[in-house]
Amino acid sequence: MNRNVIITCAVTGSGETAGKTPHLPVTPKEIATASIEAAKAGAAIAHIHVRDPETGAPSRDPELFREVVDRIREHDTDVIINLTTGMGGDLFLGLDDAPTEFDREATDCVGQVERMEHVEMLLPEICSLDCGSFNYDMPNYVYVSSIGMLRIGAERLQKIGVKPELEVFDLGHIWFAKQMLAEGILDAPPLFQLCMGIRWGADGTTRNMQTMVDNLPDGANWAGFGIGSNEMPMVAQTALLGGHARVGLEDNLYLERGVHATNAQLVDKARGLLEAMGSKIQTPEEARKTLGLKKYEQMKKLRAAA
């Protein structure tokens, strides 16, 4: 049982959810505001994607990330910034008789350096690193994150001092993350995020989460989440197994059946659940010490020397 839990709030994500709830933040101002409100509710970390302000579609525009980060840093609310690097891995294969004739309109597949441009520019304390390729629940759609890309990403993040949050969707992803740790391109202690219930990765069950935890390297920090109605049960499960928790509108849109949630409400609900279980919620400063994070000024010096 973890008695000192870090809550992450994933405030918007990249799913097709912009028209499904009135509370999803879309513009940089809305995303920054949602991150600040989540922090005030008890989240130590804000996990951030950006979206096209006009359409709500997911984006990887570095200037949108810059506006979000600048707005958060200019505010007096302390929160750890965690930027996604997951955008740019969408590969839509062609039909079965011509799979290499990719669907060019839907495909957005770029190299690791381009996926991390905003991270190297803005130096968040944490960024996500998706630790393997896998099938999504669409015909001919593969999310691409090759071992070559991952080694490039880990090495570049190590040089600039940004902590990678190793997003793992299945056991093979943990296996390769441990390989990178053995190669010395990830610094100890590593930080894992167990992503449960995303088709077709690991199903979001208690047994599967336990198995994934059993495969983590000794001394690792880890968090986990479930999606949809499984969000709060997985909050409890992560604490019971010794980890940290993630909630937010990236993973679930509802506070209860038929009631749309805000990010702050989901954080508050998770906090109440964890405190009822006897856990204390870590502040951002406490979370920095737990995770071994470098502050922005330290990272600027590392980048200058890299």
Side-chain angles (χ1 to χ4, degrees):
M1 175 74 183
N2 187 358
R3 299 293 183 183
N4 293 283
V5 178
I6 299 166
I7 298 176
T8 293
C9 185
V11 297
T12 190
S14 61
E16 296 179 354
T17 49
K20 296 181 179 179
T21 172
H23 302 306
L24 190 82
V26 171
T27 69
K29 182 178 180 180
E30 290 169 347
I31 294 167
T33 298
S35 301
I36 292 162
E37 290 173 348
K40 289 180 177 179
I45 301 170
H47 177 57
I48 295 167
H49 290 246
V50 293
R51 292 174 178 266
D52 183 311
E54 299 297 326
T55 67
S59 174
R60 51 184 174 84
D61 182 346
E63 291 306 316
L64 294 176
F65 280 105
R66 185 196 294 277
E67 184 177 347
V68 174
V69 170
D70 285 349
R71 286 179 178 275
I72 294 172
R73 285 177 173 161
E74 288 167 1
H75 199 272
D76 60 3
T77 298
D78 188 24
V79 65
I80 297 166
I81 295 172
N82 174 352
L83 300 183
T84 184
T85 67
M87 304 302 295
D90 299 337
L91 178 62
F92 284 80
L93 301 173
L95 299 177
D96 191 67
D97 59 350
T100 59
E101 294 181 7
F102 305 138
D103 181 340
R104 301 292 178 180
E105 185 175 345
T107 291
D108 178 34
C109 194
V110 299
Q112 190 66 36
V113 172
E114 187 170 344
R115 295 185 200 187
M116 292 172 48
E117 181 181 351
H118 59 293
V119 170
E120 298 201 50
M121 178 174 69
L122 300 170
L123 300 177
E125 292 172 83
I126 303 172
C127 75
S128 65
L129 194 63
D130 295 338
C131 285
S133 305
F134 65 103
N135 295 323
Y136 265 96
D137 195 23
M138 299 182 201
N140 299 334
Y141 172 29
V142 179
Y143 178 78
V144 176
S145 184
S146 72
I147 61 174
M149 291 174 173
L150 288 166
R151 285 191 171 105
I152 289 170
E155 289 172 348
R156 293 177 78 94
L157 293 174
Q158 190 176 56
K159 287 179 181 178
I160 61 176
V162 176
K163 171 74 76 172
E165 178 191 58
L166 305 166
E167 289 201 345
V168 292
F169 298 80
D170 218 334
L171 290 175
H173 298 176
I174 297 175
W175 191 3
F176 184 67
K178 290 193 289 188
Q179 176 63 29
M180 290 193 289
L181 190 64
E183 292 172 6
I185 57 176
L186 292 177
D187 292 330
L191 171 61
F192 286 82
Q193 182 70 254
L194 310 186
C195 307
M196 310 297 297
I198 292 90
R199 294 180 179 178
W200 296 106
D203 194 7
T205 66
T206 299
R207 181 172 295 178
N208 284 349
M209 179 172 274
Q210 177 70 72
T211 300
M212 293 180 83
V213 171
D214 290 343
N215 278 270
L216 295 176
D218 293 340
N221 290 303
W222 68 274
F225 68 88
I227 61 173
S229 62
N230 211 24
E231 183 175 57
M232 292 302 161
M234 282 297 170
V235 167
Q237 191 63 54
T238 56
L240 287 170
L241 292 178
H244 304 285
R246 171 174 134 173
V247 294
L249 295 182
E250 176 171 352
D251 307 325
N252 165 49
L253 303 179
Y254 294 94
L255 191 64
E256 56 187 68
R257 184 180 292 274
V259 179
H260 285 119
T262 66
N263 282 292
Q265 287 173 330
L266 292 173
V267 172
D268 186 65
K269 186 172 183 178
R271 179 174 191 157
L273 173 59
L274 291 164
E275 289 177 340
M277 293 171 64
S279 293
K280 176 182 176 293
I281 307 305
Q282 293 195 36
T283 66
E285 198 56 39
E286 290 168 337
R288 289 184 179 97
K289 294 177 182 177
T290 296
L291 302 178
L293 303 180
K294 293 179 175 65
K295 290 195 172 183
Y296 179 50
E297 294 301 323
Q298 292 175 282
M299 288 186 284
K300 284 199 292 187
K301 292 178 181 178
L302 286 170
R303 182 176 62 183

